Amino acid sequence: MTAITWQRRRATASRFWADFRSHRSALAGLGILLFFGLVAVFASVLADPAGLDVTKATAPAHAAPSADYWLGTDQNGRSVLTLLIHGTRVSLIVGLAATAIAIVIGTIVGIMAGFYGGWARSTLMGFTDWFLVIPFLPLAIVMATVLGASLLNIVIVIGVTSWPGTARLVCAQTLSVRERPYMERARALGGGDWHQMTRHILPNVMPLVLAHVVLTVSVAILSETTLSFLGLGDPTRPSWGYILDNAYGTGAMSNGEWWFVLPPGLCVVLVVLAFTLVGRALEVVLNPRLREGS
Amino acid sequence: MRGYVLKKVGWSIGTLLFVVVFNFFLFRLLPGDPIGLYTRGRNMSPEQLIRLRQQLNRPIGEQFVEYLANPFASAINSTRFNRPVWEIIGERVWPTVLLVGTAVLVAAVAGVWLGIRSGWRRGSRFDRITTGTTNTLYAMPEFWVGMMLIMWLPFFPSGGINSVGVSGFFATAVDTAWHMVLPVTALAIVYLAEYTSIMRASLVDELRQDYLTLARAKGLREDLVRRRHAVPNALLPTMTLIFLNLGFVIGGAITVEYVFSWPGLGLLTAEALRGPDIPLLQAVFLLFSLGVIVFTLLADLLYAVLDPRVSTQ
């Protein structure tokens, strides 16, 4: 790479950041994400993982918040705060990994459909439309039941059920990129299909996909919470949905145990909201046509 | 118009076939002994088991043709209720329709109103507060909203559709409405966010149109420009999207019905998970997919009726 290329990239990056920074809500979202990211990374430092073990719990069950247990305890006498901290890790991992699967499938299907066009496009997009029609939650529930409860399976289920949106977006974008003059130049110079798709279309489609990725993560985290709440999560890896499932199952609401019900939900809302705010801002920054009121 | 309708109906039939095929093969991927899963917790004579095993040992093509012939007549009963699956589902449809229908109606009316107010005065204080609130509501899992409502509003009934010992048509209706307050609120809060943002976006799209400038140039009051010109046009995509969502909304009621023990299809799905009751789950899944296909078709046709430009394209 020449120095000029790098200079240009640095300029683009700083312009991008300046644009992004003008969205105050997006910055707030970024801050929230940074906080939860740090909690996830340092979960074992913040709270001893031994606190997740039911057999080692010494505190009374369903205890109210106290100096020792800031957010009280669950039905087994485990600290809710410990569960919450380690749940952050599970929720974020599932959200990110599932999104990665969805994006890979969606991008491959979308680029192939848009690049080859003709019957390849009608077949692939027809298939995508079918998947869009299948109601997401029932499909995820059925798949999770069929595959069995484990962290990996939850990731697969959410990833495999959330790619159609990405595929449509990438296909539409590929169709517009395909007609641009530099594609003709690449073909004239003898670039093969693979070269054209990976070196020319992919880099031009990626920015829009990026915004979509961030929004997909928020949906994936909500889905993980829902599936865990229905008891389809991995019981050995407590997530926020798992805490809510336990709270519901042991009657925390009728006993007024707010510390058991409120915090996990608040965490979900904060993280999902943060991803949504960042994603929306990215969309506007990367696609100026979406900007309102010009 | 006719070509458009035929195309849409054809697509729906194709999708229906795909869903049926998908439904057949998805449940053939089950790990372990299918007989064990199908018959768990039931007393069956060895002859019956052998007959069942022979049925499942036939070539997959043969089984598939049989399934295609009538996917709604499942020979095997639900393992949990020990009755034909479609009979159980039939009982559970109406509570879900009642719950979801009310929630969507409340959310659509309130959402359209909020969307109009915030979209028309875009960037105003009201708009900023509404957008922030809807973003937050959108991030909430429905079932968590339900749990919070149960905890903080304990004077409302927290589960079921009727109290024990209520009789008479009028008393039952009032009692059902009383039981509906919390679940409808939980569902409506989440849908409200969606409908508000859809309505706001459609109205903002209309704001730059020339016909609004013309209406103002004619000397119409701002109020009339909004009511007679902008809103009817913005309502078009909103109505279709609300309709399109109806199919998915039924699936989304699963967790809320579970939290409030509302005896509908959602609770049935949650019950089918414990076990798992595979025949029941398969039938419910087929029904949910069918709902989406039907509502998608209706939304497409409705849009063509409301906006004739669509069908001539």
Side-chain angles (χ1 to χ4, degrees):
Chain A
M1 289 290 164
T2 55
I4 290 177
T5 322
W6 280 109
Q7 203 177 3
R8 208 180 57 213
R9 284 188 184 168
R10 255 203 313 278
T12 314
S14 67
R15 201 168 56 233
F16 173 80
W17 175 241
D19 245 3
F20 185 80
R21 218 174 36 187
S22 65
H23 296 261
R24 275 196 359 237
S25 58
L27 279 186
L30 209 58
I32 296 173
L33 290 185
L34 205 65
F35 170 75
F36 278 101
L38 287 175
V39 169
V41 170
F42 296 107
S44 301
V45 183
L46 291 168
D48 186 4
L52 298 174
D53 195 341
V54 180
T55 55
K56 287 182 188 144
T58 48
H62 294 287
S66 60
D68 290 338
Y69 302 96
W70 292 357
L71 288 175
T73 60
D74 73 348
Q75 80 279 15
N76 293 317
R78 292 180 289 182
S79 161
V80 174
L81 187 62
T82 306
L83 290 172
L84 215 55
I85 289 171
H86 287 271
T88 310
R89 193 180 263 184
V90 177
S91 295
L92 285 184
I93 287 178
V94 172
L96 294 173
T99 305
I101 293 180
I103 294 303
V104 169
I105 300 178
T107 308
I108 291 176
V109 171
I111 286 191
M112 298 272 271
F115 184 78
Y116 288 111
W119 70 264
R121 179 173 153 219
S122 25
T123 314
L124 285 173
M125 282 299 110
F127 195 62
T128 311
D129 281 348
W130 282 342
F131 259 92
L132 272 178
V133 162
I134 296 178
F136 167 76
L137 188 58
L139 175 62
I141 285 176
V142 168
M143 282 185 68
T145 315
V146 168
L147 291 171
S150 83
L151 201 62
L152 183 67
N153 284 346
I154 286 289
V155 169
I156 293 174
V157 165
I158 298 175
V160 166
T161 45
S162 28
W163 62 269
T166 316
R168 289 198 88 160
L169 183 80
V170 171
C171 177
Q173 196 61 17
T174 306
L175 281 174
S176 87
V177 170
R178 196 176 63 159
E179 303 304 327
R180 289 184 193 166
Y182 59 75
M183 290 300 295
E184 205 179 331
R185 169 191 162 275
R187 269 194 299 276
L189 287 175
D193 288 354
W194 176 251
H195 175 86
Q196 289 178 48
M197 280 193 267
T198 52
R199 308 296 309 203
H200 295 282
I201 292 184
L202 195 63
N204 281 294
V205 169
M206 265 317 161
L208 262 196
V209 173
L210 179 68
H212 183 74
V213 166
V214 178
L215 292 174
T216 309
V217 177
S218 67
V219 178
I221 289 179
L222 267 181
S223 312
E224 191 277 332
T225 311
T226 306
L227 290 178
S228 305
F229 177 69
L230 289 172
L232 295 167
D234 188 341
T236 60
R237 304 293 303 271
S239 70
W240 294 332
Y242 168 89
I243 306 176
L244 286 172
D245 181 24
N246 281 337
Y248 178 76
T250 57
M253 290 108 65
S254 46
N255 298 330
E257 296 167 28
W258 58 265
W259 59 87
F260 204 173
V261 181
L262 186 66
L266 270 185
C267 289
V268 175
V269 173
L270 277 176
V271 170
V272 171
L273 183 64
F275 273 113
T276 313
L277 291 177
V278 172
R280 294 263 168 82
L282 278 179
E283 254 178 2
V284 176
V285 170
L286 296 169
N287 188 1
R289 262 173 303 176
L290 287 176
R291 203 160 293 174
E292 288 176 359
S294 46
Chain B
M1 185 73 192
R2 235 180 91 203
Y4 175 82
V5 171
L6 282 179
K7 207 175 104 194
K8 289 294 170 191
V9 171
W11 187 82
S12 300
I13 292 173
T15 314
L16 184 66
L17 276 177
F18 166 74
V19 166
V20 169
V21 171
F22 187 76
N23 199 19
F24 175 82
F25 283 104
L26 182 61
F27 286 88
R28 292 296 181 283
L29 294 174
L30 283 172
D33 181 13
I35 301 282
L37 273 173
Y38 274 113
T39 60
R40 186 182 301 179
R42 290 165 67 198
N43 273 327
M44 291 190 100
S45 64
E47 295 87 59
Q48 269 179 312
L49 280 182
I50 288 168
R51 205 153 0 107
L52 209 56
R53 199 170 291 281
Q54 276 167 349
Q55 239 176 24
L56 288 175
N57 275 346
R58 285 174 307 151
I60 193 126
E62 202 177 305
Q63 290 184 47
F64 181 59
V65 169
E66 192 192 49
Y67 180 76
L68 267 191
N70 196 354
F72 296 100
S74 185
I76 303 173
N77 287 357
S78 150
T79 56
R80 186 188 173 92
F81 300 96
N82 214 355
R83 279 162 52 205
V85 283
W86 290 103
E87 199 181 301
I88 304 166
I89 288 175
E91 294 166 3
R92 300 294 193 98
V93 169
W94 294 112
T96 297
V97 170
L98 182 68
L99 176 71
V100 168
T102 316
V104 166
L105 204 66
V106 170
V109 171
V112 164
W113 186 79
L114 279 174
I116 292 173
R117 278 211 58 181
S118 60
W120 192 250
R121 304 217 166 280
R122 197 187 44 197
S124 67
R125 216 176 125 92
F126 182 82
D127 179 33
R128 284 204 308 273
I129 293 173
T130 310
T131 309
T133 315
T134 47
N135 275 341
T136 313
L137 292 180
Y138 200 66
M140 291 181 178
E142 303 98 314
F143 59 87
W144 182 66
V145 176
M147 289 167 79
M148 302 296 288
L149 288 174
I150 292 177
M151 194 164 68
W152 279 334
L153 300 172
F155 39 90
F156 283 106
S158 65
I161 189 167
N162 275 125
S163 308
V164 186
V166 175
S167 62
F169 177 77
F170 187 69
T172 314
V174 170
D175 188 50
T176 304
W178 185 239
H179 278 78
M180 271 169 66
V181 173
L182 290 190
V184 165
T185 312
L187 274 178
I189 280 180
V190 179
Y191 300 152
L192 177 75
E194 203 168 329
Y195 298 155
T196 307
S197 59
I198 292 173
M199 186 63 208
R200 182 183 177 276
S202 345
L203 192 64
V204 166
D205 266 353
E206 298 295 326
L207 286 182
R208 291 172 222 164
Q209 302 287 341
D210 292 338
Y211 68 84
L212 288 187
T213 318
L214 176 71
R216 287 200 186 96
K218 281 196 303 190
L220 284 186
R221 273 183 292 126
E222 197 62 11
D223 193 34
L224 285 180
V225 176
R226 188 187 73 217
R227 263 210 329 262
R228 296 247 181 93
H229 293 266
V231 168
N233 280 302
L235 264 179
L236 222 67
T238 312
M239 288 304 290
T240 332
L241 277 172
I242 289 178
F243 225 72
L244 200 61
N245 265 336
L246 273 179
F248 291 95
V249 156
I250 298 170
I254 292 175
T255 50
V256 168
E257 286 191 5
Y258 173 60
V259 166
F260 288 99
S261 315
W262 186 263
L265 292 172
L267 182 64
L268 190 66
T269 314
E271 285 169 346
L273 282 178
R274 319 276 169 210
D277 186 342
I278 299 298
L280 189 57
L281 207 54
Q282 193 171 7
V284 169
F285 179 59
L286 188 62
L287 186 70
F288 282 143
S289 313
L290 197 69
V292 178
I293 295 173
V294 168
F295 280 110
T296 309
L297 180 65
L298 286 178
D300 280 339
L301 297 182
L302 180 79
Y303 200 37
V305 171
L306 292 177
D307 187 352
R309 283 171 301 180
V310 174
S311 56
T312 52
Q313 267 170 12

